[in-house]
Amino acid sequence: MIEKKPQIIDNFGRPHTYLRISLTDRCNLRCFYCMPEEGIELMEKPSIMTLEEIIEMTRTFRDLGVDTVRLTGGEPLVRKNFGFLVEELAKLGVTLKLTTNGIILDKYLDLFDKIGLRKINFSLDTLDKAKSIFITKRDYYERIMRNLEMALDMDMDIKLNIVLIKGVNDKEINDFIALTKDKKITPKFIEFMPFKGNKWDWSKGVSKDEILKTVGDKFGEIETLKNPKHSTSTNFRVKGHKGSFGIVSTITNPFCDECNRIRLTADGKMKNCLFATSETDLLTPLRNGENIDKIILEAIKSKKHSRDGMDVKMDAEHYEQNRSMISIGG
């Protein structure tokens, strides 16, 4: 890995070394908490970064100290010529990670093994086929589970992203925990978060305390693990289990103090925060042949300390000005 001194530092002294790149706003699922019921207006092809532009953007961020890049979507694997892109990005010396729904993951596992991409997050909100069809509006459950097992057999570092919503999948918490008994796998329970068009209401949310009580009542002793630096989750293990689990408590217990993350949307806009309503266009100046280093370094100075300044009430007037989740990137 090429080590670069972090240069993207906000006004709170936080170095930003982790870049999440959305490759597309297209997806082969229609999860209701991510895709608004009425759908979204898809980005026109000319407005989306080309593969070469993604590589150039990544190189620029790397030279400014970014050492970790996560590829997201929509669904990143539906991006045309994804294999070429990921091979080229691997040559830049950054740690590559992926968030996927897993539907076509089998096409790329051998390539990932070859280039060293081993950290994969599956978006998997239920272990029940009928409920999966209800949440995603598509019937790919068996294919996803088959590809998950394939990735585990290849000893990939697998996490499951589970958005918990009361009355939908909150009764499955312990079903996911049961997977950790004999599998080296990490379910990540994510508190339901507000985005444009997803009809957010915290009465549908499940808090960190509720999750821990549910797990403790069923499985007994829970060990608190040491969280990696900049972790977005607090991490635990049921005593005696092979795998662990994490809780992403964005609503009830924000983890913004040591944030090191930046987002780049598929149309080349830099977002300082998942909840940021303002964005910085990097693609237009890049296409104009401008040096975007200074633009990036200046843009990070406007980053707010926590959740883009949203208060604990998560004001709808704020988050409805943001994009829908699918057009930001998971």
Side-chain angles (χ1 to χ4, degrees), residues 95-250:
T95 297
L96 282 180
K97 302 181 178 183
L98 175 75
T99 297
T100 177
N101 59 35
I103 293 171
I104 55 175
L105 183 66
D106 52 307
K107 288 177 56 178
Y108 295 104
L109 281 171
D110 287 340
L111 174 59
F112 293 163
D113 194 40
K114 172 187 164 188
I115 66 174
L117 193 163
R118 308 202 63 80
K119 295 180 181 294
I120 302 174
N121 285 24
F122 272 74
S123 298
L124 184 68
D125 297 308
T126 180
L127 297 172
D128 178 89
K129 181 178 178 179
K131 202 175 291 182
S132 174
I133 295 171
F134 166 73
I135 293 173
T136 68
K137 310 295 188 290
R138 299 290 185 270
D139 185 4
Y140 287 118
Y141 177 77
E142 289 171 2
R143 186 188 299 185
I144 292 167
M145 297 306 290
R146 185 170 62 246
N147 288 342
L148 173 59
E149 287 298 328
M150 193 182 300
L152 288 168
D153 288 343
M154 293 178 68
D155 202 30
M156 296 290 182
D157 183 351
I158 301 297
K159 294 180 180 177
L160 306 179
N161 288 351
I162 306 143
V163 177
L164 283 180
I165 301 176
K166 222 165 250 181
V168 177
N169 60 351
D170 56 314
K171 302 302 183 188
E172 293 189 70
I173 292 171
N174 286 331
D175 296 333
F176 281 103
I177 295 298
L179 295 178
T180 70
K181 187 175 190 306
D182 301 309
K183 296 179 187 291
K184 191 179 176 183
I185 193 169
T186 305
K188 285 177 61 178
F189 299 110
I190 302 169
E191 292 182 345
F192 184 33
M193 293 182 281
F195 298 99
K196 182 177 181 178
N198 76 345
K199 300 179 181 177
W200 182 84
D201 179 346
W202 180 241
S203 67
K204 304 172 190 172
V206 185
S207 71
K208 173 183 172 182
D209 290 343
E210 290 176 271
I211 296 166
L212 289 175
K213 184 178 188 311
T214 298
V215 176
D217 287 349
K218 169 75 173 178
F219 291 97
E221 187 175 350
I222 299 172
E223 301 171 337
T224 301
L225 304 179
K226 183 177 180 181
N227 297 322
K229 194 174 183 182
H230 307 300
S231 176
T232 58
S233 61
T234 47
N235 299 292
F236 308 90
R237 177 183 285 115
V238 172
K239 190 171 183 180
H241 281 211
K242 188 174 182 180
S244 59
F245 69 98
I247 301 174
V248 181
S249 53
T250 312

Side-chain angles (χ1 to χ4, degrees), residues 26 43-50 53 79 266-267 287:
R26 286 161 170 77
M43 299 173 192
E44 296 292 335
K45 188 174 180 181
S47 69
I48 293 178
M49 294 185 291
T50 66
E53 287 166 344
R79 179 70 192 249
D267 55 349
R287 287 178 174 176

Side-chain angles (χ1 to χ4, degrees), residues 22-56:
S22 172
L23 303 185
T24 178
D25 60 347
R26 286 161 170 77
C27 186
N28 37 16
L29 296 180
R30 291 292 181 271
C31 303
F32 64 82
Y33 60 82
C34 181
M35 169 78 81
E37 197 173 290
E38 65 277 11
I40 63 167
E41 186 175 339
L42 294 171
M43 299 173 192
E44 296 292 335
K45 188 174 180 181
S47 69
I48 293 178
M49 294 185 291
T50 66
L51 301 186
E52 291 74 20
E53 287 166 344
I54 293 169
I55 295 163
E56 183 59 30

Side-chain angles (χ1 to χ4, degrees), residues 73-102:
E75 170 49 44
L77 300 187
V78 304
R79 179 70 192 249
K80 190 175 180 182
N81 295 320
F82 173 83
F84 163 79
L85 174 65
V86 78
E87 281 195 276
E88 291 302 305
L89 292 177
K91 295 174 185 176
L92 297 180
V94 295
T95 297
L96 282 180
K97 302 181 178 183
L98 175 75
T99 297
T100 177
N101 59 35

Side-chain angles (χ1 to χ4, degrees), residues 1 4-9 14-20 61-62 64-70 94-95 229-230 258-262 300 303:
M1 182 185 295
K4 293 278 185 179
K5 184 178 179 182
Q7 299 172 54
I8 309 172
I9 300 172
R14 297 175 295 194
H16 288 66
T17 57
Y18 192 128
L19 176 66
R20 302 176 72 105
F61 276 98
R62 179 205 65 184
L64 292 173
V66 164
D67 57 23
T68 303
V69 173
R70 178 174 293 279
V94 295
T95 297
K229 194 174 183 182
H230 307 300
E258 293 187 350
C259 182
N260 70 332
R261 286 160 166 75
I262 316 165
I300 201 66
K303 181 163 184 167

